[in-house]
Amino acid sequence: MGLFDFFSKKKKEQLNEGLEMTKKSVFSKITKAIAGKSKVDDEVLDNLEEILVTSDVGVTTTLKIIERIEARVARDKYLGADELNSILKEEIAALLSENDSDSISGFDFPKMEVPYVIMVVGVNGVGKTTTIGKLAYQFKMAGKSVLLGAADTFRAAAVDQLTIWSERVDVPLISQGMGADPASVAYDTLKSAVANKADVVIIDTAGRLHNKINLMNELTKIKNVMKKIIPEAPQEILLILDASTGQNAIEQAKQFTAATEVNALALTKLDGTAKGGVVIGISDQFKIPVKYIGIGEKKEDLQLFDKFEFVDSLFSQE
Amino acid sequence: MFESLSEKLDRSFKILKGQGKITEINVSETLKEVRKALLDADVSYKIAKQFTDEVKERALGQNVLTAISPGQLMIKIVHDNLTELMGGEHTDINIKGDPAIILIAGLQGSGKTTFSAKLANYLKQKKGKRPLLVAGDVYRPAAINQLQVLGNTIDVEVYTEEGSMEPVKIARNSINHAKANGYNVVIVDTAGRLAIDEQMMDEISSIKEALKPQETLFVVDAMTGQDAVNTAKAFHDRLNFEGVVLTKLDGDTRGGAALTIKAVVSKPIKFVGIGEKIDALDVFYPKRMADRILGMGDIVSLVEKAQEQFDEQEARKLQKKIAKDQFNFNDFLAQIKQIKKMGNVKDLMSMIPGMGKAIKNLDIDDDAFKHVEAIIYSMTPSERDNPKIINGSRRKRIALGSGTDIQEVNRLIKQFDETRRMMKMMTTSGGKGMMKMMQNMQGAKR
C-alpha cells in the first residue's frame, strides 16, 4: 500500500481545509522570516523559534529542531532560504514516530483470529466519544463488523451520547447504563465480541485528569480485565489529544502511558486555529505514533495520520 | 496547581542569590529562565516576552535604591507584574436584573455544560437565587441529556425544547418561561464552536443579541496552549464577553492561559473549575494565584474554605466536649466528614505555604481517610463513645472488622489521644483546630 493511498483527492482537500489555518499562519510567518534573505541567519532562526513555539511545539522540541537546522547550516555554509522549507519538513518528520508493525495501519486490515480491541483514553473534553463514533464509521465503511463498549459510566449522559453515535453509524453497543462498573462493561463487551466474531471493538472510557491517581488505577484495571477474555487485548490503546492543548499534553502522554501503555495517538479539533504542534515532541519522546486526526464534527471527519502529509500541509506553499 | 512554574522560578531565582546587586548581566540570565518557564507554562509567546521585558526594566531601575537581596527583589517584581498581568482585583459576577441572564460560550470540550450546572448550583446555594438552566446545545449528541442529568442532581429546572434546532428561539422562549415561573437567573448553555466557524459564530452573536445578557462568560480549558490567545480574541471580537471561566484547573497544568487571557482581552477571570464534583467551583483571585505561582501558598482560600464548612453551633458543642475531656470517636468522625466536605485533601494541603513542593509527588487522594473511617466504623457504639474501654482483644476485633491490622488501629488510637490532648490545649478558633487536626491525620496516614 502506497503512502498516499489513504488520501483520496477528496480527503486531501478535507485535510487541507482543516489545516488551512495552521498553514496560513505558519507559512506567512516563515515567508516573512526569510523574505529578502539568501541564507539562514540568527534572525531567521529567532523567527523560526517564534513560529514553532507559537505552534505549541514547546521550547525543548523547538530547541532540538533549531539545533538540527543550525548543524546543517554550519555544514552547508550558505544555505538558501528556499532550502529551509524542505529541511524543516525533513527534520520535523524525522521526529514523528512510525506505527509499530503489530498494530493495524488502516481501516481495512486482514481478518484476525480475535477481535482487534481499541481502548480509548484521555482527559476530559478532548473528544473521545466523538472520535469513537467516527472510527466506528470508518471501520464499518471498510466492511468490518464493529462493536462499541460504553465504559464511560461516569459523566452525565455519556452513555446516551455514545448510543446516539452507535445509531448514527449503525453499529451495536454494549452498555450497562450509567454508574455501572466500567471494567465490567469492558468485560461484557469483549465477551460479546468474541461470541459474535466481531472484527473491531472500541471501548470508551470516562475522561480523567492524569494526576488523579485513583482514576488512573481504574484505567489500568479496565485494561487488565479485558485480558481475561482476549489475552492480547487491548491491542491498541489510543490516547486522544486535543490540538488546542499546550505543553500539558506531554504530561498527559506520560501519565496515561504509565497507566495503560498507550501505543497510538489521535489528534482532535485540528480544524480550528490550534496547531497541535505538541504531538511532535510527544511522538519523539515516547515513540508513540500519531494514528488519526479529527478535523470536524461529522462522522466522516476523521483521517489516518500521515506524517509527510501532515508536515507537508504545515509548510507547503500554495 | 502551578507548582511546576513556581519550582522553575524558584530555580531561576537561585541564580541570583548570593549576588550583591542586580546588573544587566545577572538579570538577563534569570529572565531567560523566567521566560522559558513561562513558555513551558503555555503563556503566549508575545506576552512572555513583554512580561520579561517589563520585569527587566523594573529590576534595573530599582537595584540601586534598595538594600534587600536581589533574589527577594526579583521575586517581588515578578510577583507584582504577575498579579497585574492576571487581572488586578477580583471582579464578581453580575446577577442584577430580573431575570439576570448569563450566556455561556466556548470551544468544544472546554467544559461549558459542567460549568453551567456548577454556576447554577453556586448561585442557588451561595447567592440564594432561583436559577433556570437552558439547554442551547442542540447539536452535540446527548448534550441536552447531560444538562438535564446535572440539573436533576442539583434540583434546578432545565428548559429544553424537544426536537428544536433553533437555539436562538429556545433562548428567547426560555426567558419568557423564567419570567412566568419566577426564576431570577437564567443560565444559557450553548454548543461548543470553533472561532473560525462563521456560521456558528453568527449563531451565538444572534443569541446574544436576542437575550441582551448581563454576563457573557467565555469558558476555556486551563490546559490550552498558545491558541488560547487567538480563540479568546476571536470570541471577544464577536461577543465582547464580560468574563472568563478557566476549567480543569485541578489538573497539573501550569495554566499559562490564565496569565495571558486577561492581558489579551482585558476581561477578568471570574471562576475556576477545580474538579468534576458539582461544587468544585471557585472564584478567581489574581493576587492569590500570583502568590501560588511563586510558592507563597494560598492560606486565605484555605481559611475561607474552612469557614464555609464550619458550623458554629457544632463547634461550640465540640469545644465544651473537649474541655470536659469527652471528645470521642463520633466527634472525630464528624470532623473527618467536615474536612472531606472542604474538598480534595491534596488541594487543601497545597494551599498551605511551603507545602506545594513537599506534597507534589505524594499520593494523597480523596480516600485518604478511608482506613481511618473503616477502623472507626468497626468500633461498637460504646467504644466510640468511650475510647478508654478499647483493650487488646477489642483492638484485634476492630482490626479484623476493618480489614486493617492491629498496628494501624494502635496508631489511630494513639493519634486520637494526641489530638485530644492537643485540642484541649488549644484555645484557638475551631477553624484552625480543624486544620491542625487535618495535618495530624495526614501524619497518621503516612
Side-chain angles (χ1 to χ4, degrees), chain A residues 215-234:
Chain A
L215 294 177
M216 295 309 278
N217 288 343
E218 179 190 84
L219 217 50
T220 312
K221 181 184 162 194
I222 298 171
K223 188 196 85 176
N224 290 340
V225 155
M226 293 189 217
K227 299 196 186 305
K228 289 186 183 163
I229 308 279
I230 304 172
E232 54 268 65

Side-chain angles (χ1 to χ4, degrees), chain B residues 58-236:
Chain B
R58 288 199 195 184
L60 289 175
Q62 280 185 31
N63 80 76
V64 275
L65 302 171
T66 50
I68 55 168
S69 81
Q72 283 171 326
L73 184 60
M74 282 298 286
I75 287 178
K76 192 187 177 304
I77 295 164
V78 170
H79 174 254
D80 288 353
N81 265 37
L82 220 49
T83 309
E84 219 176 280
L85 192 63
M86 283 193 294
E89 285 311 299
H90 168 64
T91 319
D92 221 344
I93 185 167
N94 176 12
I95 41 169
K96 284 180 207 117
D98 201 24
I101 302 167
I102 300 161
L103 178 63
I104 312 295
L107 296 181
Q108 289 92 341
S110 53
K112 290 174 297 302
T113 305
T114 305
F115 169 71
S116 298
K118 283 180 181 176
L119 180 63
N121 184 56
Y122 169 85
L123 293 176
K124 187 180 162 181
Q125 302 293 340
K126 301 209 175 136
K127 305 266 175 182
K129 291 283 171 181
R130 279 200 76 208
L132 174 72
L133 282 163
V134 181
D137 181 358
V138 298
Y139 306 103
R140 207 203 66 201
I144 294 171
N145 264 344
Q146 188 185 347
L147 194 62
Q148 277 171 329
V149 170
L150 292 170
N152 256 332
T153 61
I154 54 170
D155 202 18
V156 168
E157 193 193 338
V158 177
Y159 182 85
T160 61
E161 284 182 20
E162 196 73 36
S164 167
M165 289 302 280
E166 295 171 85
V168 185
K169 214 163 135 192
I170 295 172
R172 205 181 284 130
N173 292 344
S174 75
I175 305 304
N176 294 331
H177 180 82
K179 281 180 182 157
N181 292 279
Y183 291 107
N184 47 22
V185 182
V186 182
I187 301 164
V188 183
D189 185 23
T190 62
R193 63 202 73 221
L194 292 167
I196 50 164
D197 189 333
E198 281 302 320
Q199 211 182 329
M200 290 295 281
M201 290 308 279
D202 285 346
E203 179 197 277
I204 195 139
S205 300
S206 311
I207 295 176
K208 178 163 179 161
E209 218 153 279
L211 294 184
K212 307 218 170 3
Q214 271 71 19
E215 291 258 336
T216 301
L217 295 177
F218 174 62
V219 180
V220 65
D221 188 325
M223 296 179 276
T224 309
Q226 299 285 327
D227 190 49
V229 171
N230 304 332
T231 306
K233 198 171 176 304
F235 270 83
H236 192 251

Side-chain angles (χ1 to χ4, degrees), chain A residues 56 124 210 212 244 269 273, chain B residues 108 225-227 248 250 252:
Chain A
D56 286 319
N124 315 65
H210 48 284
K212 310 259 157 123
S244 64
K269 308 183 199 174
T273 45
Chain B
Q108 289 92 341
Q226 299 285 327
D227 190 49
K248 306 180 208 171
D250 50 327
D252 57 2

Side-chain angles (χ1 to χ4, degrees), chain A residues 49-50 53 56 124-125 154 156-157 160-161 209-213 244 246-248 251-252 269 271 273 297, chain B residues 35 40 42 45 108-109 140-142 145-146 194 196 223-227 248 250-253 276 363 367:
Chain A
E49 180 200 77
E50 180 178 349
V53 168
D56 286 319
N124 315 65
F154 178 75
D160 293 339
Q161 190 184 347
L209 290 173
H210 48 284
N211 58 339
K212 310 259 157 123
I213 292 137
S244 64
Q247 299 310 301
N248 191 246
E251 204 54 38
Q252 292 173 22
K269 308 183 199 174
D271 47 331
T273 45
E297 289 180 320
Chain B
R35 185 164 159 261
D40 278 342
D42 292 319
Y45 187 86
Q108 289 92 341
R140 207 203 66 201
N145 264 344
Q146 188 185 347
L194 292 167
I196 50 164
M223 296 179 276
T224 309
Q226 299 285 327
D227 190 49
K248 306 180 208 171
D250 50 327
D252 57 2
T253 180
E276 295 194 64
D363 180 3
D367 292 336

